């Protein structure tokens, strides 16, 4: 243990809280990624693949790409 | 033409599919670099940096408090720019960026407040004072919570994005207030000692570990933001596919028997 003087408890508490909060944030983001990826795979397994992906498989002309991956919810 | 070529990658990032491909490639490298920088920064903070002549060993809290506070503000800056981009250009990826950054910013702001409080008790004799700097950072924390609550409270995601973007832009006023609070008001919090006209007033033996830790925190933010943006793109794909599944079912079911009857 590093000698941190009379206020060591405050220093360890600050670093401990940081590790705890950042660790929780990382865990949440990693878990969220896994959950969404699994949901997407389930939907694709049910034949609900992306239009562009299906078009590629069919060898058809895709038209403008990138507006069909769910991130576009503008409805314009 | 040269200018067009130089901004081309930015346009490519605006395409979610290309963004996902690029993020998948660079995130592991950035994450590795972040770990290395944290290892170096923490080593410098605990084993190389000397105790401060006034603060003693508690100066070591500054190696997390100051970067967390910087990141709290930078993250809000990212949200503000993304929100502006969303309102002006209506690009969904700008909204994805703003949404993904909010919880990360909230965590960094909470860390700045908590670590500052843990430094304040031994140094100032109190965990908290209603001083201009502390209070304005607390308002920043509530702003982050407000952005997340507003987005969650509006069911229509496009409308939620627009409302949140407006709120984020209005909230930008807090950034100069936080930055200059120590100059405008008589605060207990010390004035700027790194980013100031005339250069830093901190001795290099303490400044260097601080800068390495700040870089590590910044990279951590970039990694988490890219990953969270990727998650949001995936979530929107899931929502879009579910809607398509519902539409397909709705189109097929009533039409099937009706068509048979007609034939």
């Amino acid at each position: 243990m590093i000698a941190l003087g009379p206020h060591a408890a405050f220093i360890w508490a600050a670093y401990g809280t940081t590790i705890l909060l950042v660790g929780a944030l990382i865990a949440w983001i990693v878990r969220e990624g896994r959950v969404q990826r699994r949901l997407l795979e389930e939907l694709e397994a049910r034949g609900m693949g992306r239009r562009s992906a299906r078009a590629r498989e069919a060898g058809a002309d895709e038209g403008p790409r990138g507006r069909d991956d769910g991130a576009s919810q503008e409805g314009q | 033409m040269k200018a067009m070529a130089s901004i081309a990658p930015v346009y490519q990032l605006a395409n979610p599919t290309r963004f996902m491909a690029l993020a998948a490639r660079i995130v592991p490298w950035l994450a590795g670099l972040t770990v290395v920088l944290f290892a170096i920064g923490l080593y410098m903070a605990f084993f190389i940096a000397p105790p401060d002549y006034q603060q003693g060993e508690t100066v070591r809290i500054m190696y997390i408090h100051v970067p967390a506070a910087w990141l709290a503000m930078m993250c809000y800056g990212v949200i503000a720019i993304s929100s502006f981009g969303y309102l002006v250009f209506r690009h969904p990826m700008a909204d994805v960026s703003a949404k993904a950054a909010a919880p990360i910013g909230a965590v960094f702001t909470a860390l700045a407040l908590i670590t500052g409080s843990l430094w304040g008790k031994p140094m100032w004799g109190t965990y908290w004072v209603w001083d201009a700097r502390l209070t304005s950072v607390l308002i920043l924390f509530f702003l982050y919570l407000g952005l997340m609550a507003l987005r969650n409270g509006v069911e229509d995601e496009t409308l939620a994005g627009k409302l949140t973007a407006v709120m984020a832009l209005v909230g930008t006023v807090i950034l100069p207030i936080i930055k200059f609070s120590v100059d405008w008001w008589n605060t207990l919090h010390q004035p700027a000692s790194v980013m100031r006209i005339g250069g830093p007033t901190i001795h290099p033996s303490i400044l260097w570990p601080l800068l390495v830790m700040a870089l590590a925190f910044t990279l951590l933010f970039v990694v988490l933001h890219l990953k969270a943006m990727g998650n949001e793109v995936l979530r929107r794909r899931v929502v879009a596919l579910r809607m398509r599944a519902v539409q397909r079912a709705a189109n097929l079911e009533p039409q099937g028997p009706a068509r048979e009857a007609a034939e």
Side-chain angles (χ1 to χ4, degrees), chain A residues 4 7 10-11 14-15 18 25 29 33 36-37 39 48-51 54 68-74, chain B residues 16-17 57-58 60 64 86 92 111 118 121-122 157-158 224 227 231 235-237 241-242 244-245 248:
Chain A
L4 289 176
H7 305 305
F10 291 99
I11 301 168
Y15 277 84
T18 305
L25 182 67
I29 289 176
Q36 296 303 334
R37 215 165 273 281
L39 288 173
M48 292 306 302
R50 295 166 58 202
R51 250 196 311 243
R54 274 179 284 142
D68 178 44
D69 17 33
S72 47
Q73 295 195 336
E74 268 298 291
Chain B
T17 307
E57 297 285 351
T58 48
R60 301 192 201 282
I64 43 175
Y86 184 54
L111 277 179
L118 286 165
K121 183 64 182 167
E157 289 200 23
T158 307
L224 292 178
K227 183 85 179 97
N231 290 352
R235 193 194 64 80
R236 292 184 179 200
R237 281 181 185 167
L241 289 185
R242 275 185 179 153
R244 202 174 295 161
R248 193 188 279 181

Side-chain angles (χ1 to χ4, degrees), chain B residues 74-113:
Chain B
M74 196 193 85
C75 189
Y76 199 88
V78 169
I79 293 178
I81 293 167
S82 303
S83 300
F84 181 78
Y86 184 54
L87 287 178
V88 174
F89 303 109
R90 299 287 164 91
H91 201 290
M93 281 309 280
D95 186 41
V96 166
S97 164
K99 184 179 179 186
I104 305 172
V107 168
F108 282 127
T109 313
L111 277 179
L113 288 167

Side-chain angles (χ1 to χ4, degrees), chain B residues 132-200:
Chain B
R133 172 59 69 85
L134 278 67
T135 309
S136 53
V137 174
L138 185 65
I139 292 171
L140 177 68
F141 179 64
F142 289 141
L143 255 174
Y144 278 120
L145 297 188
L147 289 177
M148 291 190 280
L150 178 62
R151 197 180 278 275
N152 285 332
V154 181
E155 207 172 333
D156 179 342
E157 289 200 23
T158 307
L159 180 65
K162 284 177 188 167
L163 290 176
T164 314
V166 172
M167 183 182 167
L169 285 179
V170 173
T172 312
V173 71
I174 197 70
L175 296 184
I177 294 178
I178 293 173
K179 170 70 185 157
F180 297 111
S181 56
V182 284
D183 305 322
W184 292 342
W185 293 287
N186 193 8
T187 63
L188 196 52
H189 195 283
Q190 62 149 356
S193 50
V194 181
M195 290 185 213
R196 62 186 282 282
I197 299 162

Side-chain angles (χ1 to χ4, degrees), chain B residues 20-74:
Chain B
M20 294 294 279
L22 187 73
R25 263 209 316 271
I26 63 169
V27 161
W29 290 98
L30 285 180
L33 192 60
T34 308
V35 172
V36 171
L37 274 174
F38 266 114
I40 297 170
L42 287 171
Y43 178 78
M44 289 171 87
F46 278 96
F47 298 103
I48 293 183
D52 182 71
Y53 79 107
Q54 279 180 326
Q55 303 171 47
E57 297 285 351
T58 48
V59 71
R60 301 192 201 282
I61 294 177
M62 289 297 124
Y63 301 121
I64 43 175
H65 171 72
V66 176
W70 280 344
L71 260 291
M73 290 176 70
M74 196 193 85

Side-chain angles (χ1 to χ4, degrees), chain A residues 8-44:
Chain A
F10 291 99
I11 301 168
W12 289 123
Y15 277 84
T17 313
T18 305
I19 291 166
L20 215 67
L21 280 183
V22 171
L25 182 67
I26 294 170
W28 173 66
I29 289 176
V30 169
R31 189 180 165 275
E32 178 70 9
R34 285 192 188 142
V35 167
Q36 296 303 334
R37 215 165 273 281
R38 203 189 59 229
L39 288 173
L40 201 61
E41 279 166 9
E42 279 172 14
L43 280 163
E44 280 170 351

